[in-house]
Amino acid sequence: MKGFLQIHDPLKPKGHAVGIDLGTTNSLVAAVVSGTPGCLAADEGDARLLPSVVHYAQTGGVVVGARAVELLPQFPTDTIKSVKRFMGKSLGDVETKKLGAYRFVEGAGAVRFQVAGGQPVTPIEVSGEILRALKRRAEAHFAGKVEQAVITVPAYFDDAQRQATRDAGRLAGLEVLRLLNEPTAAALAYGLDKGVQGTYAVYDLGGGTFDVSILELVDGVFQVKSVGGDSALGGDDFDRAIAERALAAFSLDAPTPGEVARLLQLARAAKERLTDAEQTTLELDGRVFAFSRADFDGWIQPLLQKTGVAVRRALKDAGHQASDVKGVVLVGGSTRVPAVRTFVEALFGQRPLSDIDPDQVVALGAAIQADLLTNADRQDEVLLLDVIPLSLGLETMGGVVEKLIPRNSAIPIAQAQVFTTFQDAQTGMDVHVVQGERELVNDNRSLARFRLSGIPPMAAGMGRVQVTFSVDADGILSVKAKEQTTGVEQAITVKPTHGLSDEEVEQMLLDSIEHGEADIQRRLLVEQQVEAQRVLSDARKQLSENGDLLSPDERLAFEQGIAGLEALAASGTDHSTLKNAIHDLDERARPFVERIMNRAIAKAAVGHSIQSF
């Protein structure tokens, strides 16, 4: 894209390079510091996981992460989670809207969400907000610029989904050094850490996607032999399995969007409790649903069996049996579920490896790859041979697919094939590029179409056109068609039907530069408005429950403080003024809070002696 290239100076220092795990449920950013990879924590605490949730406020601001999660039940249609499942998809690709509160823009082709505060947003833009938040975290850590990143993607992401991820990185102001398959990143982290050799399987079950990769690790060469998986299967489906049973138990046939959002949050929390507990309950508005780990294990067995099918297919494609595998690496937060670990152990006949945090291992591998690509002293240290996840081909007469590059071919790769004209005096040829494993075009994913004109009129079968498919290290496809008699040539880099166009991306980048300072100020204001609402809610609650601890004058002053903060938050003042007002109300409430704590301690002490504490 010409405009995009012009605003980047190749001689300009790029700052630090990081690895990013752009996950369905949580995302992380990691970097190699003093030779050791590590995930970077947030400024405000030790949290390394950034919830992949984005809230769009009525004022036009954006909130990302834990604060967005808090806003989800109250604003379910304006808070996007699990956006990774929508990357590179059209509305027709979206599986179901059940248990989802999103407002889709109908007739838009690509998925677009109608949210508060302005124009519809695409999954690419939502993912861009998550990447911006991670970029800011890294820049705060290094106290300097971060402009380059290796971003991980599920191994089974198709070309449209990969392009969408790359576009999101560009929107966030990052030069995407490479799109790295998540299982490959995990193997890279384990391989460098342990110096392992042999055949390994990576079982990656995240919040929204499942991947399996069979890899050969020999003398510093990481070769992916095969990949498989399901880009719409993960821990979110475990949550839905619980939520659907709870809906049935509560007889909620038409739950509100707010009830759905809260129910999914409660289901996820219950699932996590069952990692250590045998029984748990889920409570929604006074209704209680009790179930056991055994119940949960039974509900998710069909999902686990689907992962088993993908594993067996990947082993077959690699020419291996489960007994040939030296080790199984667990990746993704959903592999913490005991039933998953039991299933994997039975599938491979051995206890899986899990001594690197499954939530962090992908980001750590991405950081290692980023360091390898940008550190001149390490660029020859490891060779990484990835594969293409789905076959690439083109349409021939009758709607049949001719595959030029089979799935699991090592990349980068280029393959060419010669085709002849079908009709007498044919002067042009339509090239329709598709991706998938089916034999007919209609059963595969259409990637691009273009026309080669200028073929000299000849008898049918005499015109010869060579079509070349080239896939780079990121899995991005370029197609070239050349008529061999005249040398007439047409070439394109395949852009997916449901990604953003170059012009859209360029305009968004230019807009982000032009409005950069205003956008930052608006983000800071929205963050303080969210904090003000939290403080006001807590203040009203305590006033209702413990207001008798205040004298009439104190209560009046406190209520005036609440009203003042509420008015200021709604006025659209600058963020620093609002921050100071929040601090002032906190200080004014300090004596009140101390009285509440004393009451709670006194209540707990009733009936106990000093010796019992």
Side-chain angles (χ1 to χ4, degrees):
M1 187 173 66
K2 293 180 180 179
F4 179 75
L5 293 175
Q6 287 172 352
I7 60 177
H8 279 80
D9 182 353
L11 300 179
K12 176 184 173 183
K14 296 295 184 181
H16 297 274
V18 296
I20 292 178
D21 175 8
L22 183 60
T24 305
T25 306
N26 296 295
S27 297
L28 300 96
V29 58
V32 174
V33 180
S34 301
T36 303
C39 291
L40 308 182
D43 299 341
E44 61 272 15
D46 191 44
R48 285 165 172 76
L49 296 176
L50 175 76
S52 301
V53 181
V54 179
H55 170 72
Y56 290 86
Q58 190 66 48
T59 58
V62 178
V63 179
V64 181
R67 290 182 177 179
V69 173
E70 295 173 1
L71 294 168
L72 178 60
Q74 187 179 358
F75 302 100
T77 60
D78 302 322
T79 308
I80 311 299
K81 73 181 190 70
S82 299
V83 70
K84 190 171 180 176
R85 285 194 161 187
F86 299 99
M87 292 290 277
K89 298 290 186 71
S90 69
L91 274 179
D93 295 329
V94 178
E95 287 184 343
T96 176
K97 298 175 186 177
K98 185 179 180 183
L99 294 178
Y102 304 124
R103 294 175 295 183
F104 295 101
V105 179
E106 300 293 340
V111 172
R112 291 180 185 269
F113 306 100
Q114 184 66 59
V115 294
Q119 296 296 316
V121 295
T122 67
I124 294 172
E125 293 167 280
V126 178
S127 296
E129 296 293 349
I130 298 169
L131 291 172
R132 280 193 190 98
L134 293 172
K135 180 174 182 280
R136 288 194 296 268
R137 176 182 294 187
E139 289 180 334
H141 176 86
F142 290 114
K145 288 287 187 182
V146 171
E147 296 181 356
Q148 295 179 314
V150 169
I151 302 177
T152 60
V153 292
Y156 228 57
F157 256 23
D158 63 21
D159 189 77
Q161 291 165 307
R162 290 169 187 267
Q163 287 280 16
T165 304
R166 178 175 284 278
D167 285 345
R170 291 161 65 191
L171 281 178
L174 291 167
E175 177 189 350
V176 182
L177 297 171
R178 182 166 183 179
L179 297 177
L180 183 64
N181 284 350
E182 290 165 1
T184 308
L188 191 59
Y190 265 94
L192 290 184
D193 182 58
K194 302 178 180 302
V196 294
Q197 304 283 327
T199 301
Y200 279 76
V202 180
Y203 184 99
D204 182 355
L205 187 62
T209 58
F210 168 68
D211 293 312
V212 58
S213 292
I214 309 301
L215 305 101
E216 295 284 353
L217 280 62
V218 181
D219 297 330
V221 177
F222 288 60
Q223 183 170 6
V224 182
K225 304 298 290 185
S226 67
V227 297
D230 190 329
S231 62
L233 171 63
D236 287 354
D237 297 290
F238 294 178
D239 302 342
R240 288 189 177 91
I242 296 173
E244 286 171 354
R245 269 74 179 187
L247 281 175
F250 297 154
S251 299
L252 284 175
D253 296 327
T256 66
E259 287 175 329
V260 169
R262 282 188 293 143
L263 189 57
L264 287 172
Q265 284 185 327
L266 293 168
R268 182 182 176 193
K271 173 189 70 178
E272 292 172 352
R273 287 194 296 273
L274 288 178
T275 300
D276 300 311
E278 293 293 334
Q279 301 277 341
T280 192
T281 58
L282 183 156
E283 184 176 348
L284 179 70
D285 297 333
R287 292 166 288 200
V288 179
F289 175 56
F291 59 101
S292 67
R293 183 193 291 178
D295 293 329
F296 174 62
D297 291 351
W299 300 336
I300 66 172
Q301 272 304 309
L303 300 170
L304 296 180
Q305 292 300 330
K306 288 178 69 175
T307 72
V309 171
V311 167
R312 287 186 283 272
R313 185 185 300 120
L315 284 167
K316 183 179 179 180
D317 288 346
H320 285 295
Q321 297 179 348
S323 58
D324 299 330
V325 174
K326 183 176 179 180
V328 184
V329 176
L330 292 184
V331 180
S334 297
T335 61
R336 299 182 190 276
V337 174
V340 173
R341 298 197 173 197
T342 301
F343 179 81
V344 173
E345 184 171 350
L347 192 62
F348 288 95
Q350 60 181 289
R351 188 182 297 275
L353 302 171
S354 58
D355 47 324
I356 297 180
D357 186 334
D359 282 319
Q360 296 187 20
V361 64
V362 167
L364 295 175
I368 292 167
Q369 179 66 12
D371 189 52
L372 290 170
L373 292 174
T374 57
N375 188 336
D377 296 331
R378 299 191 64 194
Q379 288 181 358
D380 296 329
E381 195 171 308
V382 172
L383 178 62
L384 196 59
L385 301 177
D386 227 327
V387 298
I388 190 163
L390 296 169
S391 299
L392 293 164
L394 50 78
E395 179 179 1
T396 57
M397 291 303 301
V400 175
V401 177
E402 180 68 22
K403 294 176 182 175
L404 269 69
I405 301 180
R407 67 188 174 99
N408 290 324
S409 297
I411 56 175
I413 187 174
Q415 295 278 32
Q417 191 165 329
V418 175
F419 296 85
T420 60
T421 52
F422 181 74
Q423 297 176 333
D424 291 338
Q426 183 176 335
T427 59
M429 178 180 288
D430 291 321
V431 180
H432 181 197
V433 183
V434 298
Q435 185 171 34
E437 305 309 315
R438 304 286 292 277
E439 298 302 317
L440 299 179
V441 168
N442 290 341
D443 297 322
N444 291 285
R445 180 71 175 267
S446 175
L447 294 182
R449 296 175 183 267
F450 66 93
R451 182 171 180 81
L452 176 67
S453 301
I455 299 174
M458 291 180 279
M462 297 301 293
R464 298 173 64 82
V465 176
Q466 178 174 290
V467 179
T468 304
F469 279 24
S470 301
V471 182
D472 66 16
D474 292 325
I476 304 301
L477 171 66
S478 298
V479 180
K480 178 174 67 175
K482 182 177 182 180
E483 201 286 310
Q484 295 185 321
T485 303
T486 62
V488 173
E489 184 176 302
Q490 177 74 31
I492 63 166
T493 297
V494 174
K495 292 294 292 184
T497 307
H498 305 302
L500 293 177
S501 69
D502 282 351
E503 290 73 21
E504 286 178 297
V505 173
E506 180 176 7
Q507 188 58 52
M508 289 175 183
L509 286 167
L510 294 174
D511 288 346
S512 70
I513 294 171
E514 181 180 351
H515 305 294
E517 181 60 31
D519 288 345
I520 290 172
Q521 294 301 317
R522 187 165 59 177
R523 175 177 64 83
L524 291 172
L525 175 58
V526 170
E527 288 177 348
Q528 291 305 317
Q529 287 173 327
V530 170
E531 178 65 11
Q533 291 305 318
R534 183 194 66 78
V535 170
L536 287 167
S537 177
D538 187 59
R540 293 190 193 99
K541 178 182 177 183
Q542 295 304 332
L543 196 60
S544 173
E545 296 176 355
N546 299 287
D548 60 300
L549 295 175
L550 297 172
S551 69
D553 289 341
E554 288 175 327
R555 184 182 182 106
L556 178 61
F558 194 55
E559 288 175 340
Q560 289 175 340
I562 291 174
L565 179 58
E566 189 172 36
L568 196 61
S571 70
T573 184
D574 66 278
H575 69 90
S576 58
T577 300
L578 185 55
K579 184 176 182 179
N580 291 335
I582 294 171
H583 177 74
D584 290 344
L585 184 61
D586 276 337
E587 288 299 311
R588 184 178 299 184
R590 190 181 299 276
F592 183 29
V593 172
E594 291 174 354
R595 295 175 199 174
I596 294 171
M597 292 178 64
N598 289 338
R599 168 181 279 182
I601 294 170
K603 184 177 180 181
V606 172
H608 295 276
S609 65
I610 291 294
Q611 288 78 12
S612 66
F613 286 95

